[in-house]
Amino acid sequence: MALTQLNTEQLIAKCREHNQNAQLEIYNRYYKAMYNTSLRIIKDTGEAEDIMQEAFLTAFTKLSMLEDSSMFGAWLKRIVINASLTASRKKVANREVELEKVEHVLTDTIEISERDITSSKVNTVLSTLTQLKDSYSTALSLHLIEGYDYEEICEIMNISYSNCRTLMSRAKESLRKKLQVV
């Protein structure tokens, strides 16, 4: 049976036996989602890719710690989020500033369909999200995009529940204000 036909639990079992083809199949199934998760927190494509790949290495080397193979995706996402948050904190601590910010403006004279408008709105919200304070952007990404509830966000960001509610309220208000300007 080809590896592409195996379910995740079967592939994890093969990964535990150090089967590199099974590891590659797991990587191919999860890398896009993990990259996007990291990118939303880090906001740097190269660094997000590095974090994503390091997360896979960590996951494969510590696979023996995973008790339930069916939870691999959630476990891997947690590794990516923690690594991204750590990198983000280091960037803030070191006061790193991006050297370039390039914005592309697309103008098109062709009629725009409803699907394009919806896609445009989503892209506007996502790009506006990256302009928020890091804590706002991270909290909103975890809640609105990743689907974490407030309790999980409290645990991930190491903040109290009331602090989380305040942070989310301020983040949503900040996003609303920035979207009104756009």
Side-chain angles (χ1 to χ4, degrees), residues 98-154:
E98 295 178 28
L99 294 176
E100 284 184 31
K101 280 196 172 186
V102 180
E103 294 184 21
H104 298 281
V105 177
L106 267 177
T107 56
D108 197 351
T109 57
I110 301 173
E111 185 177 316
I112 300 173
S113 69
E114 184 177 311
R115 181 175 169 219
D116 291 335
I117 291 171
T118 304
S119 176
S120 173
K121 287 180 183 178
V122 168
N123 288 335
T124 301
V125 170
L126 289 175
S127 69
T128 305
L129 193 61
T130 64
Q131 297 170 13
L132 299 176
K133 272 179 40 178
D134 284 343
S135 60
Y136 291 177
S137 175
T138 300
L140 285 175
S141 292
L142 289 171
H143 183 62
L144 300 174
I145 298 171
E146 300 300 332
Y148 287 103
D149 62 25
Y150 285 14
E151 289 84 9
E152 292 169 319
I153 293 170
C154 292

Side-chain angles (χ1 to χ4, degrees), residues 9 29 45 47 53 62 74-75 83-84 107 126-127 140 147-148 158-159 162 167:
E9 291 85 6
R29 288 185 187 185
T45 56
E47 193 170 356
Q53 290 184 2
K62 297 188 179 194
W75 182 64
S84 298
T107 56
L126 289 175
S127 69
L140 285 175
Y148 287 103
N158 197 24
I159 57 177
S162 59
L167 178 68

